[in-house]
Amino acid sequence: MASINKHIEKAERFLQKGKVDAALAEFLIAWKEEPNNDALVQTVAELYYRQKKLKECRQCYGYLFDKYAERQEGVRAVDVFQKMKKLGPVEPKRSLACAQFLEKKNPKEATGLYRQVLDTVGGQSLEIAIQCLQGLSKLQPDSLEVQQRTAALASKMGNTALASSAYQKAAEMLSKQGKDAKALEALEQVCRLSGNNPAARLSLAQAYAKAKKFAPILELLGNAEEQSDDPQLLSVLADACRAGKQLERAEAIYWKLLKSSSATYDPLLEIALEHIRQDNIPLALRLLDSLKQELTARRRQNDLLAFADKLGRIAHTNISFLEFLCKLLEELHYDSPLFNALNRLFDLYFAAGQFPKATDLLHRLIDLDSYDPQCAAKLDRLEGKADPEVWNDLAARLGKSPSSAGSSATGVATGQAEDGGNVLDDLILQAEIYVQYKLDAKARERLERIAKLFPREEEKNDRLRNLFTQARFAPKYPDLPAKAAQAAPAGAGIDLSRVSGVNRNLFRQGTVKKVLFAAVNDVGRLWQADRCVVGLGVPGRPPSMVLEYISPSSEPSDPSTLGKLVMGLQQIIKDQSDPLVAENAAEAPPLAELKSLLAASQVKSLAVIPLRDADQPTGILVLEQCSKPRSWGANDLAGLEAIAGQIVLALSNARLRSLMKTLAVTDERSGLLHRDSYLTCLLSEAERMSAQKTALTAALLQFSAGGQLSRQQREQLMDQFMKEYAGTLASHLRQSDIAIQYSKDTLALIMPGTNGKNAVSAVEKLRKTLSTMHLPNANGPQQMRAGIGQAVEAVEMDSADIVTELINRLECALEDAKQLGGNGSKLLEPPELSN
């Protein structure tokens, strides 16, 4: 050590005297004696540089760089590398090492170094080149050029794993750029290099499917369905078989897929439709029947309805197919499509000379809608071809005169006079029954039908006039003289008797979208509109959902224009409950701001009916006439308003059913919603209360049996009581009310739109229903204690806080009711909030 210091001191004295050569010699001796002293190497390199001995200087720096690189001392290595660059080009291997050190600290400089090394080595050193490309891949992961060069070079070197990975990444990038053909080529390379790896084959098959190249898929996958259960692979293979017209093989694979995915129902249906298009009806019916049985067994009602709806749209003339369709629609109670299918089947039976079957079909058509004019037309076609007695029976049901072929002379003479009277008497009798039992909606429907079929009949019929007065019904007739009105044909205008069929169809739907779909299609067809639109939303905001019916002779609306039109129309009628009617849409003052939108949609006339829930606007129903101007009469608007109200109710029911499915379970004993639903339902109704500014009240109803009972007897009795009382309770609730099984002996009742006072009256009515309950082994009558509370109506409070306060107050109210004893009820009013 002393010797080294001696040489260093001596060298420093030489430097002070300017003797660089002598100093260098002493430093070299010191380096030789202590070879691991990096500082000496640094000094020697600098002295070489001063003497212009660049080769020796470069060797010193190279020695230091290699040493630092081996020890992973990146900062020092990069510092030495910068000094080496000043002396000239650096070796590719050392540049590569420096780039690797710079990846995190200075990615931009590292990228430049990698590319510089790539340009330098070219094809001379494949190992260095591949390391550069791997580094660039990390720094530029979205570079297609890097992945393509990596894939090509790795493939050349025989590095199949790296080549496959690079080709896979390149394929993904090419696919994103829309270069599907080149992406396919890259995936083909992946498949080749990976030795037909299952994942690689699946990716390639999916790419072929995307490019609609199904033949290569069949060649690539072969009989994969025999060895694999992978749903993705089977799905691609089944689609390829279907596209290649290998329908039976595709069907077998789809049935196999059905075990893991319900998404195969549609492809199976498409196979059946393809059989139908090829007139292979037996195969189609076999598959359709299997599908129907599968959907029924799995209780997939919505899929079954969609299945029936698609079949109903097929314009086919095969009798067997239509017989299957009619049977399916009848089982689903799908009246409107069933009526259309039966009509088509009638024509086929008639054309084939199968008149008995055609006659039976007409019976079913009359059962569905006896006032449809097609029924009378079909009856006329059957005259002389059907059995006379059967024909006369059908004629009587339609209010027509019997045929002379099946009646006596007396019958012919009196039938004409009696038939109209029989129909009128039947309608009056039905209406009287509905009025007696306070079924107002049905009574009004019958009265409107009477007014339509027998205009101004009340002027000469005392019984009918008294019925109109009792039901408070004022018929609306056009401004025509009475005789002219009587002369008008009974089938003119819209048949409002079919409104009830539309309403029934609405309430069969299970989701909001299906309710709206049924509404626009049924209303559009019944009113023979060019377009029918229904939109949901609140004024001032874009609609949350819009559906449109388009007649065969009309073009669909532009989606953007349609959304703006619905939003604009709802804004115009937001404060009114009456329909907005414009026979000349272009000149109607209320529609001035929407003139350009109406012109773009070619709307000449329209009628807008608001959808309102508890006086709050929730959407609109729009009928558009584009081919020519149109006027809507009072009966049209009355029918549309009635349907609008039913749409709102059907939507409410669909949302409630959806909520019940979301909540997933009901109580096993009572069938009511489970306790887990209590908080969710309260929060949902509290938010609706805040949005619509309506009241919300809830009650806890606790039941107990009179007399002394053991605990076991009491629990058994309460179980039996809850099972029986649940049905009684449900029949006395409104559609918007929600009943929940709160505990073994307590029910929770949520009453939207009801204040505390009215809730007390509702609870007292429910208490009276207890008198109808007679349970064996009960020592005395059932008792009910009720705690009632109305939610705080505070804009500044969060829904969760409102519900929390209401829950606590209901518990307190129930405790107070217990203190009252017997059938006590306690209403705790909401607290007054300080400002």
Side-chain angles (χ1 to χ4, degrees):
M1 186 68 179
S3 174
I4 294 172
N5 292 336
K6 179 180 177 182
H7 288 297
I8 293 175
E9 290 173 358
K10 191 174 181 180
E12 289 175 348
R13 286 197 297 271
F14 282 135
L15 284 175
Q16 291 173 0
K17 295 176 182 180
K19 297 179 178 181
V20 178
D21 290 338
L24 179 59
E26 292 297 329
F27 276 122
L28 287 171
I29 294 171
W31 182 15
K32 187 176 182 181
E33 292 183 3
E34 191 177 357
N36 293 326
N37 192 326
D38 296 342
L40 283 174
V41 182
Q42 185 81 21
T43 303
V44 170
E46 290 173 357
L47 291 176
Y48 276 137
Y49 186 77
R50 287 174 63 179
Q51 289 184 306
K52 307 298 182 183
K53 296 180 178 181
L54 300 184
K55 181 180 178 182
E56 290 80 358
C57 176
R58 186 183 188 84
Q59 289 174 345
C60 290
Y61 281 136
Y63 169 81
L64 283 175
F65 180 85
D66 294 341
K67 194 173 183 180
Y68 291 148
E70 185 179 353
R71 296 198 306 231
Q72 293 297 308
E73 296 181 16
V75 176
R76 290 184 175 183
V78 171
D79 183 58
V80 171
F81 182 83
Q82 299 299 337
K83 294 176 180 179
M84 292 173 67
K85 283 178 64 177
K86 295 177 182 178
L87 302 175
V90 183
E91 297 86 344
K93 190 173 181 180
R94 286 174 175 156
S95 296
L96 171 63
C98 183
Q100 290 170 340
F101 285 128
L102 286 168
E103 280 183 4
K104 292 184 179 178
K105 184 179 178 181
N106 195 334
K108 185 176 181 181
E109 189 175 348
T111 301
L113 269 177
Y114 279 134
R115 292 202 173 273
Q116 181 182 328
V117 174
L118 270 177
D119 294 339
T120 302
V121 299
Q124 299 173 7
S125 176
L126 300 182
E127 188 61 39
I128 291 177
I130 201 68
Q131 289 186 56
C132 288
L133 287 169
Q134 286 179 292
L136 284 170
S137 180
K138 284 192 248 178
L139 295 171
Q140 297 178 320
D142 297 328
S143 172
L144 176 61
E145 173 252 347
V146 169
Q147 297 301 334
Q148 288 176 325
R149 290 181 68 176
T150 302
L153 188 55
S155 182
K156 186 177 181 180
M157 293 174 64
N159 190 340
T160 56
L162 180 59
S164 296
S165 175
Y167 274 125
Q168 183 70 41
K169 292 176 182 176
E172 292 171 1
M173 294 177 190
L174 287 165
S175 181
K176 288 181 181 178
Q177 295 175 11
K179 299 177 181 178
D180 294 332
K182 291 187 176 180
L184 261 177
E185 293 175 5
L187 287 172
E188 286 172 343
Q189 292 294 336
V190 175
C191 206
R192 179 183 62 80
L193 291 168
S194 63
N196 285 329
N197 175 274
R201 291 169 63 204
L202 176 58
S203 295
L204 180 57
Q206 289 173 330
Y208 279 137
K210 184 179 179 182
K212 307 297 183 185
K213 295 182 177 181
F214 295 105
I217 296 177
L218 298 174
E219 183 180 348
L220 175 68
L221 299 182
N223 295 324
E225 72 270 23
E226 297 176 2
Q227 295 88 26
S228 175
D229 290 324
D230 181 8
Q232 289 183 303
L233 184 142
L234 291 176
S235 178
V236 173
L237 181 56
D239 291 344
C241 291
R242 180 156 64 96
K245 303 302 180 184
Q246 299 181 18
L247 300 183
E248 292 187 21
R249 183 184 174 194
E251 180 186 339
I253 299 174
Y254 282 128
W255 280 117
K256 186 176 181 180
L257 263 174
L258 194 59
K259 299 175 183 177
S260 58
S261 171
S262 62
T264 58
Y265 289 127
D266 284 342
L268 283 168
L269 178 57
E270 289 301 320
I271 291 176
L273 299 183
E274 184 61 32
H275 284 316
I276 291 172
R277 284 189 282 271
Q278 295 176 4
D279 283 333
N280 197 341
I281 303 302
L283 275 180
L285 291 179
R286 176 191 57 77
L287 178 52
L288 289 173
D289 190 58
S290 298
L291 265 175
K292 172 193 161 189
Q293 292 179 23
E294 181 70 20
L295 290 168
T296 303
R298 294 195 180 197
R299 298 183 179 180
R300 301 185 68 91
Q301 188 71 9
N302 290 341
D303 288 327
L304 197 56
L305 288 171
F307 169 65
D309 190 58
K310 284 187 178 180
L311 291 181
R313 297 178 188 176
I314 302 173
H316 206 277
T317 57
N318 182 271
I319 289 179
S320 299
F321 170 74
L322 281 174
E323 286 175 339
F324 172 85
L325 176 60
C326 290
K327 182 180 178 183
L328 173 63
L329 294 171
E330 192 164 22
E331 290 175 1
L332 295 174
H333 305 290
Y334 216 169
D335 291 352
S336 183
L338 174 60
F339 191 88
N340 295 332
L342 289 172
N343 264 320
R344 287 153 54 194
L345 186 55
F346 176 94
D347 293 337
L348 293 179
Y349 280 153
F350 190 90
Q354 300 181 27
F355 301 121
K357 289 187 176 181
T359 304
D360 290 340
L361 272 194
L362 185 54
H363 272 291
R364 295 165 68 186
L365 285 167
I366 293 173
D367 288 339
L368 285 172
D369 192 345
S370 60
Y371 293 96
D372 191 287
Q374 295 183 75
C375 293
K378 285 176 170 51
L379 180 66
D380 292 339
R381 291 168 63 186
L382 284 173
E383 188 170 10
K385 296 179 175 63
D387 180 270
E389 291 186 8
V390 176
W391 193 95
N392 286 337
D393 180 52
L394 291 171
R397 294 183 64 187
L398 291 174
K400 294 175 67 72
S401 300
S403 168
S404 58
S407 304
S408 64
T410 305
V412 174
T414 60
Q416 183 76 27
E418 291 176 354
D419 279 334
N422 289 339
V423 173
L424 176 60
D425 289 343
D426 287 345
L427 290 173
I428 291 176
L429 179 60
Q430 292 171 16
E432 287 174 340
I433 293 172
Y434 290 143
V435 170
Q436 179 182 352
Y437 289 98
K438 300 189 183 305
L439 300 173
D440 297 337
K442 290 184 176 291
R444 183 174 183 82
E445 178 193 343
R446 289 296 185 274
L447 295 175
E448 287 175 345
R449 184 177 296 180
I450 291 170
K452 180 177 182 297
L453 295 175
F454 303 94
R456 303 188 187 278
E457 178 68 22
E458 72 278 7
E459 295 177 3
K460 55 185 178 181
N461 189 317
D462 294 337
R463 181 184 175 192
L464 180 59
R465 184 165 57 252
N466 292 335
L467 179 58
F468 280 0
T469 304
Q470 185 181 356
R472 298 181 181 177
F473 175 75
K476 298 178 181 179
Y477 301 118
D479 295 332
L480 297 171
K483 290 184 179 179
Q486 290 174 358
I494 301 301
D495 185 358
L496 292 181
S497 65
R498 297 182 63 185
V499 170
S500 59
V502 174
N503 293 340
R504 287 196 300 272
N505 193 27
L506 291 176
F507 282 93
R508 289 195 190 104
Q509 311 308 315
T511 65
V512 169
K513 188 173 182 179
K514 288 184 177 180
V515 169
L516 299 183
F517 180 83
V520 292
N521 282 280
D522 289 354
V523 172
R525 293 191 186 103
L526 180 57
W527 265 266
Q528 300 175 4
D530 288 335
R531 296 194 195 104
C532 179
V533 179
V534 65
L536 294 185
V538 295
R541 295 183 183 179
S544 58
M545 187 179 294
V546 177
L547 271 74
E548 182 181 46
Y549 159 81
I550 308 108
S551 69
S553 61
S554 302
E555 295 293 327
S557 303
D558 175 70
S560 175
T561 302
L562 181 60
K564 293 176 182 177
L565 182 61
V566 169
M567 184 177 173
L569 289 172
Q570 189 169 14
Q571 188 68 22
I572 291 172
I573 66 167
K574 65 178 181 179
D575 296 324
Q576 66 184 65
S577 57
D578 296 328
L580 169 63
V581 179
E583 295 181 13
N584 186 348
E587 303 299 329
L591 303 177
E593 296 181 0
L594 305 178
K595 189 173 182 179
S596 60
L597 295 175
L598 293 168
S601 301
Q602 300 178 337
V603 178
K604 290 184 169 58
S605 304
L606 85 165
V608 186
I609 294 84
L611 304 180
R612 304 182 74 85
D613 186 2
D615 295 329
Q616 295 296 318
T618 59
I620 56 173
L621 175 67
V622 185
L623 274 75
E624 299 176 357
Q625 210 65 30
C626 305
S627 55
K628 58 183 179 181
R630 173 177 177 175
S631 60
W632 280 273
N635 285 348
D636 289 323
L637 297 178
L640 289 170
E641 286 185 273
I643 289 179
Q646 296 303 309
I647 291 174
V648 173
L649 286 177
L651 290 173
S652 177
N653 286 348
R655 291 188 180 108
L656 185 57
R657 284 194 293 269
S658 175
L659 174 62
M660 292 177 68
K661 290 178 182 177
T662 302
L663 298 173
V665 292
T666 57
D667 185 82
E668 294 179 350
R669 299 170 300 164
S670 64
L672 301 175
L673 288 177
H674 196 272
R675 169 69 182 268
D676 295 341
S677 315
Y678 182 50
L679 184 58
T680 307
C681 291
L682 275 177
L683 282 170
S684 174
E685 292 303 329
E687 290 174 358
R688 196 155 73 101
M689 174 194 75
S690 299
Q692 298 184 356
K693 296 179 175 56
T694 56
L696 170 64
T697 303
L700 294 179
L701 312 179
Q702 188 178 63
F703 302 90
S704 64
Q708 297 297 322
L709 295 171
S710 67
R711 179 179 177 182
Q712 184 178 1
Q713 289 175 324
R714 188 164 55 251
E715 289 181 354
Q716 291 176 348
L717 186 64
M718 195 52 62
D719 281 350
Q720 185 179 357
F721 170 78
M722 285 297 185
K723 288 178 184 177
E724 296 189 15
Y725 188 66
T728 303
L729 176 68
S731 66
H732 286 78
L733 297 181
R734 301 171 302 172
Q735 287 185 337
S736 58
D737 294 339
I738 303 172
I740 298 169
Q741 182 78 47
Y742 188 79
S743 68
K744 289 184 178 181
D745 61 354
T746 306
L747 300 179
L749 187 59
I750 302 173
M751 296 171 277
T754 303
N755 58 30
K757 182 178 179 182
N758 291 336
V760 171
S761 300
V763 167
E764 291 306 315
K765 290 180 181 177
L766 291 176
R767 195 191 306 281
K768 293 178 182 178
T769 63
L770 290 176
S771 61
T772 64
M773 304 295 295
H774 300 290
L775 297 179
N777 303 321
N779 298 327
Q782 289 285 336
Q783 296 180 341
M784 182 179 81
R785 290 178 287 274
I788 307 167
Q790 181 178 342
V792 176
E793 298 180 24
V795 178
E796 64 275 14
M797 282 183 69
D798 184 70
S799 296
D801 294 334
I802 292 173
V803 168
T804 302
E805 190 279 332
L806 177 59
I807 289 174
N808 293 334
R809 188 150 39 87
L810 285 171
E811 294 284 357
C812 293
L814 183 58
E815 288 300 321
D816 290 349
K818 290 179 183 178
Q819 298 299 323
L820 296 174
N823 286 311
S825 294
K826 181 64 177 179
L827 168 65
L828 285 185
E829 297 288 350
E832 295 183 3
L833 302 179
S834 57
N835 295 327

